[in-house]
């Protein structure tokens, strides 16, 4: 997520030194880079939020949706949250 944020700050600055390139090719290049950043942001956001998605068992305990062996509010989940 931090990488995507830094790229959005860097892209407008990138345009200044390249006045030689035609405006159309520069716009196309920026558009392609933006599409990759948008796809990367969605993927990284989904991965970062996995440790927060819990479901409840019939016995009242909660575990992670993708890792059923990891219970919510356990030490393993906290490690996953910190690691991202």
């Amino acid at each position: 997520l931090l990488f995507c944020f830094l790229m959005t700050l860097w892209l407008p600055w990138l345009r200044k030194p390249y006045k030689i390139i035609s405006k159309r090719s520069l716009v196309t290049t920026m558009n392609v880079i933006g599409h990759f950043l948008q796809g990367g942001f969605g993927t990284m956001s989904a991965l970062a939020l996995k440790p927060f998605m819990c479901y409840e068992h019939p016995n009242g305990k909660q575990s992670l949706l993708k890792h059923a062996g990891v219970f919510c509010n356990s030490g393993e989940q906290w490690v996953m949250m910190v690691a991202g």
Side-chain angles (χ1 to χ4, degrees):
L1 295 176
L2 181 63
F3 174 74
C4 291
F5 174 71
L6 293 175
M7 285 298 291
T8 58
L9 294 177
W10 179 67
L11 285 175
W13 177 80
L14 179 67
R15 183 177 176 198
K16 293 176 185 172
Y18 296 109
K19 297 289 183 183
I20 301 168
I21 300 174
S22 70
K23 188 172 183 176
R24 181 176 172 161
S25 67
L26 181 63
V27 169
T28 304
T29 303
M30 299 289 254
N31 190 13
V32 169
I33 292 172
H35 280 277
F36 279 114
L37 285 175
Q38 188 174 11
F41 180 79
T43 303
M44 297 307 284
S45 297
L47 285 173
L49 294 175
K50 292 284 183 200
F52 299 99
M53 296 180 189
C54 297
Y55 72 96
E56 191 168 350
H57 293 278
N59 63 4
K61 293 184 178 183
Q62 294 180 338
S63 66
L64 295 180
L65 191 61
K66 286 289 183 179
H67 305 283
V70 178
F71 291 105
C72 293
N73 298 323
S74 67
E76 293 177 58
Q77 184 197 18
W78 287 103
V79 170
M80 291 174 79
M81 285 182 191
V82 171

